[in-house]
Amino acid sequence: MTITTDHARAGAAGSLWLRLAAIALPLPLIAPAFWNRYPLLQWDTGGYLARWYEGYLVPSRSTVFGIYLHYGESSGFWINLAVQSLATLWLLQLTLRVLSMMQTFRFVVISLLLILSTALPWLASMLLTDIFAGLSVLSLFLLVVGGPRTSALEKISLFVFTAFAAATHSATLGVLLGLCIAGWMARPLLGPRLPIAGLAQASLTILAGGLMLVSANHALSGKWTWTPGGTGVAFGRMMQDGIVARYLNDHCPREKLKLCPYRDQLPASADEFLWGKSMFNALGRFEGMNDEMGTIVVGSLADYPAWQAGAALQALGQQLLHVATGEGTNGWIPHTRGIIERYVPSQAAPMRAARQQNWGLDFDTINWLHVPVALASMLALVALLAHALANRRLDDLTLLAATITLALLGNAFICGVISGPHDRYGARMVWVATFTVLMALARRLGEDSKAR
């Protein structure tokens, strides 16, 4: 009797510690920000933050995300990190629950492994749209397959979250739209595995996100329009691949283009052209060059289809391998620093005192772990999907693996082909592959323990 009582007490104590660990998880998830003594910033953060104050639209800077940042100013943006941390853990546990895998111990272990081995805590600690890219894929998946396993309140929350995430970045919206299209195409083959009601709800989030973005653009700029910039970003990638120089050489003798006098002086990279000190500034930047860049993009697609296809495939492949953590998050972020000092002066002092602004961040050591884990996760994800299909095992975990695989390919295509390969684009999505692989391992270990 005493032994039984001791075991019961030990079990209760262990359960208590597990619950406490689960409750405490939001803190280690934003540990990088605590270590930094301020939310992490990125080169693009200032462009989003300034949208509330400047009253006009700039390329690739969502006003919806700008408003989200603005409402966190009074807390030093810590409220934003709290939202990001809690939303992340909510979606992780909800995914485990919908797939009938939710156990406190399993949730804590998987969460800690993601915190230790992926970019997830750095994304959750940063004032940038990237955290919502991977999370939105999970929320869209749960909307489709959740059905009776989620409450009405959870469905509403998933819908609102997915729509908001879609409105924060055009690439995220594009990935989610592609997943919805793929879902409708697969519906005749998979039948009830992809419920029509779930697909309809997921698809409506894209429309809601678009309306949210256009409404926010109107509220801040007075214009009912989409966020500008897609053409310029695509132009930059084509310039980087040498396609623009070839187009100018072929057309300048007979067409008057603003770039013709500079055709032999084009920068080597798109970032240098669009954001550095290049002729782009002298020619009026996006306002002065949008029409011409659009003409060159469309014209070069028609003139060099084989070259464009080859460059697109190469960019897609390169983007899949660009998965390192921390791109654009070093101490050199003068634009973001200037925006905070100009529009949120109360945050200037704590921002300047952070380790990041004093060059205290170094991702080289971190990426010795993060990059191999990310690449191995993608390989394991493909192996998991191939094994399930070979054995004709079409459960929800297989559907999740297929969804994440399509999301990674869609993200690589949209970001790599349009903008050019960047580590930031890969790191913000690949951690979801690690999460899926960890779930598969946990299920396998659980099945093995039951077999014994």
Side-chain angles (χ1 to χ4, degrees):
M1 184 71 176
T2 303
I3 294 175
T4 303
T5 303
D6 289 344
H7 277 301
R9 288 175 179 171
S15 178
L16 175 61
W17 280 111
L18 276 176
R19 288 196 292 271
L20 290 175
I23 292 170
L25 278 173
L27 299 179
L29 190 54
I30 53 174
F34 289 126
W35 174 84
N36 185 54
R37 300 192 294 262
Y38 196 75
L40 294 173
L41 306 174
Q42 207 263 0
W43 183 274
D44 293 346
T45 304
Y48 291 107
L49 184 60
R51 301 286 50 80
W52 176 269
Y53 297 97
E54 294 180 346
Y56 59 88
L57 306 178
V58 298
S60 303
R61 300 292 177 262
S62 164
T63 52
V64 171
F65 190 72
I67 293 171
Y68 163 77
L69 288 182
H70 172 69
Y71 283 106
E73 289 174 9
S74 61
S75 69
F77 304 105
W78 289 102
I79 189 66
N80 301 100
L81 299 197
V83 168
Q84 291 165 195
S85 178
L86 292 172
T88 299
L89 293 169
W90 170 60
L91 286 168
L92 293 183
Q93 67 83 24
L94 188 57
T95 303
L96 287 167
R97 201 191 81 205
V98 167
L99 271 63
S100 302
M101 294 179 61
M102 182 56 195
Q103 297 173 0
T104 304
F105 177 76
R106 182 178 288 162
F107 169 58
V108 170
V109 170
I110 288 177
S111 298
L112 288 176
L113 287 173
L114 289 173
I115 289 169
L116 293 171
S117 65
T118 74
L120 182 58
W122 298 91
L123 299 173
S125 297
M126 192 178 303
L127 301 178
L128 199 62
T129 63
D130 290 6
I131 183 62
F132 299 109
L135 292 179
S136 65
V137 175
L138 292 179
S139 62
L140 188 85
F141 173 80
L142 293 172
L143 269 177
V144 175
V145 306
R149 290 168 286 182
T150 53
S151 66
L153 179 59
E154 286 170 334
K155 287 184 177 68
I156 293 171
S157 300
L158 287 168
F159 186 95
V160 173
F161 180 87
T162 309
F164 168 77
T168 63
H169 201 286
S170 294
T172 300
L173 187 147
V175 169
L176 297 178
L177 176 60
L179 289 175
C180 288
I181 293 172
W184 285 110
M185 292 175 65
R187 177 64 175 64
L189 299 174
L190 301 181
R193 302 297 310 176
L194 293 176
I196 290 179
L199 284 171
Q201 290 170 18
S203 301
L204 285 173
T205 64
I206 309 301
L207 177 61
L211 290 174
M212 194 182 298
L213 180 60
V214 172
S215 298
N217 286 348
H218 179 263
L220 296 187
S221 73
K223 298 179 180 179
W224 292 103
T225 185
W226 197 260
T227 302
T231 301
V233 174
F235 174 91
R237 197 273 301 168
M238 293 180 188
M239 186 207 68
Q240 191 168 279
D241 288 336
I243 296 173
V244 170
R246 171 68 182 276
Y247 183 91
L248 292 174
N249 286 333
D250 290 347
H251 288 261
C252 282
R254 61 180 184 275
E255 296 181 28
K256 292 183 178 180
L257 298 170
K258 295 178 182 178
L259 279 172
C260 284
Y262 304 96
R263 56 182 169 173
D264 296 325
Q265 306 168 34
L266 296 176
S269 72
D271 287 341
E272 186 180 351
F273 177 76
L274 293 173
W275 314 114
K277 297 179 180 179
S278 72
M279 67 287 297
F280 188 57
N281 296 329
L283 295 174
R285 295 190 61 75
F286 290 97
E287 185 175 349
M289 288 294 295
N290 264 335
D291 291 343
E292 181 164 311
M293 288 191 295
T295 297
I296 294 174
V297 166
V298 174
S300 61
L301 284 169
D303 288 0
Y304 321 115
W307 189 357
Q308 292 278 16
L313 286 174
Q314 183 178 11
L316 186 151
Q318 290 176 347
Q319 181 58 69
L320 287 172
L321 299 177
H322 279 64
V323 292
T325 301
E327 182 184 31
T329 314
N330 55 26
W332 180 244
I333 48 173
H335 179 254
T336 293
R337 291 184 61 165
I339 291 295
I340 290 177
E341 290 168 353
R342 183 185 313 163
Y343 295 123
V344 199
S346 63
Q347 291 301 308
M351 179 267 295
R352 291 194 205 104
R355 283 188 168 96
Q356 181 185 13
Q357 275 60 257
N358 291 279
W359 296 89
L361 285 181
D362 183 0
F363 290 94
D364 291 343
T365 302
I366 292 171
N367 281 317
W368 277 102
L369 176 63
H370 285 191
V371 171
V373 167
L375 296 177
S377 296
M378 287 192 289
L379 288 174
L381 185 69
V382 174
L384 169 66
L385 187 57
H387 180 266
L389 294 178
N391 290 277
R392 297 184 179 180
R393 181 176 178 174
L394 191 59
D395 57 9
D396 283 343
L397 186 57
T398 304
L399 283 177
L400 177 61
T403 300
I404 302 306
T405 301
L406 289 175
L408 289 170
L409 290 171
N411 179 69
F413 179 81
I414 292 172
C415 295
V417 173
I418 295 178
S419 185
H422 287 77
D423 282 304
R424 177 193 152 201
Y425 302 147
R428 69 187 182 190
M429 187 71 72
V430 74
W431 69 266
V432 192
T434 308
F435 174 51
T436 306
V437 171
L438 288 174
M439 290 179 66
L441 288 173
R443 174 173 284 181
R444 179 61 182 268
L445 292 173
E447 290 173 351
D448 288 347
S449 65
K450 289 179 182 177
R452 289 195 295 269

